[in-house]
Amino acid sequence: MIVDCAIYRHGQRTGGPEDLSDALAEARAAGGFVWIGLYEPSEREFGLVTQEFGLHPLAVEDALKAHQRPKLEVYEDSLFVVLKPVAYEPESDTVSAGEIMVFVGDCFVVTVRHGEASPLAAVRHRLEEEPEMLHKGPTSVLYAIADAIVDRYLEVATELQTDLEEVEAEVFRPEGGGARNTASRIYGFKRQIVEFRRATGPLTVPLNRLAGTGPLGSGSGVPFVHEDARPFFRDVGDHLARVNESVEGLDRLVSDVLSAHLAQTSVRQNDDMRKISAWAAMAAVPTMIAGIYGMNFDHMPELHWLWSYPVVILVMALLEVLLYRLFKRREWL
């Protein structure tokens, strides 16, 4: 469905065209650009936009099917950029990712959004309050969307760091490190970091190209990008680099926390086995003595002594005390 459609001239919104077929001509005539926003359009709904703006069929296929990696594709009449906004639910420790596809031409921008993460209404509203930025044309829309998404990355990275500190405290708490669900929670947390990395990692190359700093984005290698906008893309790229560093640090830290938890579990199991072995050894002594005297051989002089029973009981008790003190001194009990 079409969420919004408007023509912008000299940084100001001049209203939305009633007919999409007239939107592009009107934008060109006014010296501005048209911005059309769509949310999970069907093939029939997107067909009219494709026909009017001459979008490349391969890019259209990607925009309709979604499930793409962040990337930048350059076609004859437009740029096609895939971005993955993310959202984090602290209650369930879940990272969810959506997708935003942006088509940028000489005087048009078409955005296609999939998923609930990062609606573009706030981006459009913020841009409309900055006419100087909007005056740079369609590039300003692409920059504003990328900037909003990467800023959200920073927020999600901070939230993940906070939750990971809670998990770390739980692991190293004496009474909490052995909880049965601790390992599954850590592993689930690691999966969320992997999901987060899928959104942030591949975006580095497209942003470098847009900023003109990458090997494929220097000079005039990327069309439809205003020269004055390149420093802004470099700023977004710097923020993304911080995010990627945070993600790498989180991944290493959660791996270390998982290793520490497994090591604690192993040590705890060894302690339990030592305690079991110590008690088994203490139980074996009276069992052995009782077994010997339960054989009922005729030539066992101790069976006929008056003090045999109390002596045997005393010997058992002394051996048990000695074994207990020995195991206690070695911290087996």
Side-chain angles (χ1 to χ4, degrees), residues 197-217:
R197 177 184 285 176
R198 288 173 182 168
T200 63
L203 186 56
T204 301
V205 173
L207 280 180
N208 287 341
R209 293 183 63 187
L210 291 170
T213 58
L216 300 178

Side-chain angles (χ1 to χ4, degrees), residues 3 20 27 46 49 58 74 101 120 141 148 162 167 177 188 191 234 246 257 265 271 275 299 306 325 332:
V3 178
L20 287 181
F46 202 46
V49 177
L58 292 178
V74 180
M101 286 76 169
L120 296 178
V141 177
T162 301
V167 175
R191 288 182 64 95
R234 283 198 292 270
S246 298
V257 170
T265 302
D271 289 341
K275 291 179 180 179
H299 302 289
L306 178 65
R325 294 186 62 182
W332 280 37

Side-chain angles (χ1 to χ4, degrees), residues 298-312:
D298 291 335
H299 302 289
M300 295 180 69
E302 296 88 352
L303 295 176
H304 305 288
W305 291 353
L306 178 65
W307 298 99
S308 295
Y309 178 75
V311 168
V312 170

Side-chain angles (χ1 to χ4, degrees), residues 131-176:
E132 293 184 0
M133 178 63 68
L134 265 178
H135 186 64
K136 299 183 185 299
T139 306
S140 63
V141 177
L142 178 58
Y143 157 73
I145 295 173
D147 184 54
I149 290 175
V150 173
D151 284 346
R152 181 55 183 156
Y153 287 167
L154 290 169
E155 296 174 5
V156 171
T158 302
E159 293 172 353
L160 285 171
Q161 179 67 42
T162 301
D163 284 357
L164 183 56
E165 290 174 357
E166 295 177 0
V167 175
E168 186 178 11
E170 177 182 344
V171 168
F172 290 102
R173 190 172 61 244
E175 66 277 11

Side-chain angles (χ1 to χ4, degrees), residues 203-259:
L203 186 56
T204 301
V205 173
L207 280 180
N208 287 341
R209 293 183 63 187
L210 291 170
T213 58
L216 300 178
S218 59
S220 58
V222 180
F224 310 110
V225 177
H226 198 286
E227 289 293 332
D228 294 341
R230 295 187 187 277
F232 294 94
F233 283 112
R234 283 198 292 270
D235 181 67
V236 177
D238 290 341
H239 292 173
L240 181 64
R242 288 173 50 195
V243 171
N244 286 327
E245 290 175 359
S246 298
V247 173
E248 291 292 337
L250 286 171
D251 188 55
R252 289 193 299 268
L253 184 58
V254 75
S255 297
D256 293 342
V257 170
L258 180 59
S259 298

